[in-house]
Every structure is written in C-alpha cells, then in structure tokens.
Amino acid sequence: MHLDKKREEQLEKMEFELEKEYNQESSEEQESFEMIFETENEKEKTEEVRQVEIKVEKFQSQQDLAKKKKKDLVFELSLFFILGILIGITVKTEAVKKITIGFNDYQIPAKVQRYNIAELKSNLLRQAAQQQTVQNAAQKQQAVQDSNQQQN
C-alpha cells in the first residue's frame, strides 16, 4: 500500500505538472489571442479615435473661423467708425469756412448797401412804363411811315 501511495503521489505530481504545463500553454495561447484581439480592438479604437479627432478638429476649425470672422467684422466696423469721424471733422471744418448761416448770424457785420424792395419795385414799374411809351411812340411812327409810303 505504501508503494501505491507513492505511486499515486507521483502520478498526481505528474498530472499536476502536466496540468500546469497545459495551463501555461493555454494561458500563452490565451495571451496571444488576447493580444491579437487587443490589437484588433486597438486598431478599431484608433480608427474610431482618429475619426473622432478629425471631427473635433473640423469643429474646432469651424469655431476658429467663426471667431476670426467675428474679429474681422469688429475690426472693419471700428475702421468705418474712425473713418466716419475723420470725414465728419473734415466736412465740419470746410463748412465753417464757407457757410455762415446759423446761431451766430447776428454777429455778421451788416453791409452798408441794403436793398429797399419798395424802391426797386417803383423803379421797375417806371422803367416798364417808359419802355411802353417808347414802344407806343415807335409803333405810331411806324404806322405814319407806312401810311406815307402807301400814299406815295
């Protein structure tokens, strides 16, 4: 019996060692399968990550473009504002030199020669009357000349 026990123990040891080797081999195979599976998963993940990164980059580039357009718009509007101020100052300066109608009109020195409308009107009426008498006289003279020519 003692021999049987030893033999059993040896057999058990051998079985254990065989199992251990088998487990090692199977674990190595599992590891290799896991590595292959992981590499495939990593490839898939890297492709997904790349696609996501591309989408993120596109979105960021669109945001950057929007920010740039907004900055350009603000810059252009500020330039127009400054240009408007400069043109306004120039126009006002030139207008002050040439136009004198406004709040300070009472300070403009009065000219010595003023116009009297009633006097101008009476002068024009007199001149019109004189021209009319001259025309009437010319017509009468013409009529006299015509009648003299007809008699001759």
Side-chain angles (χ1 to χ4, degrees):
M1 204 162 202
H2 188 59
L3 283 176
D4 285 334
K5 275 190 176 183
K6 279 187 180 183
R7 193 170 260 243
E8 279 181 27
E9 282 179 13
Q10 282 179 351
L11 285 174
E12 281 179 10
K13 279 184 183 180
M14 286 175 82
E15 283 178 11
F16 182 72
E17 285 177 10
L18 284 174
E19 272 184 40
K20 202 174 187 183
E21 283 179 22
Y22 177 76
N23 285 340
Q24 281 180 353
E25 285 178 11
S26 65
S27 66
E28 287 175 7
E29 286 178 9
Q30 277 183 344
E31 285 178 14
S32 66
F33 284 132
E34 286 176 2
M35 289 181 74
I36 292 170
F37 185 70
E38 284 178 10
T39 56
E40 289 176 5
N41 281 343
E42 285 178 11
K43 287 179 184 177
E44 290 175 6
K45 285 181 182 178
T46 54
E47 288 176 20
E48 290 175 3
V49 167
R50 285 181 194 152
Q51 291 174 355
V52 169
E53 286 176 352
I54 290 170
K55 288 179 183 178
V56 167
E57 286 176 6
K58 285 181 182 177
F59 182 71
Q60 286 177 346
S61 65
Q62 289 175 351
Q63 283 182 337
D64 291 341
L65 285 174
K67 288 179 183 178
K68 188 176 180 182
K69 284 182 181 178
K70 191 174 183 179
K71 283 182 182 180
D72 288 345
L73 178 68
V74 170
F75 183 70
E76 285 180 16
L77 290 177
S78 62
L79 285 178
F80 281 124
F81 180 72
I82 292 169
L83 182 66
I85 289 174
L86 292 175
I87 289 174
I89 290 170
T90 305
V91 168
K92 183 180 178 194
T93 304
E94 292 300 316
V96 166
K97 291 178 185 176
K98 296 182 181 179
I99 301 173
T100 57
I101 298 171
F103 180 74
N104 296 331
D105 280 350
Y106 68 94
Q107 295 178 347
I108 297 174
K111 294 185 177 179
V112 177
Q113 186 180 19
R114 290 191 179 183
Y115 297 105
N116 188 354
I117 295 176
E119 188 180 324
L120 290 173
K121 203 177 207 183
S122 64
N123 286 340
L124 287 174
L125 286 174
R126 237 182 283 132
Q127 286 176 358
Q130 285 176 354
Q131 284 180 353
Q132 195 167 16
T133 56
V134 168
Q135 282 179 355
N136 285 340
Q139 284 177 356
K140 283 181 184 179
Q141 203 174 27
Q142 184 91 23
V144 171
Q145 286 177 356
D146 287 339
S147 64
N148 285 340
Q149 282 180 358
Q150 284 178 1
Q151 287 176 358
N152 284 335

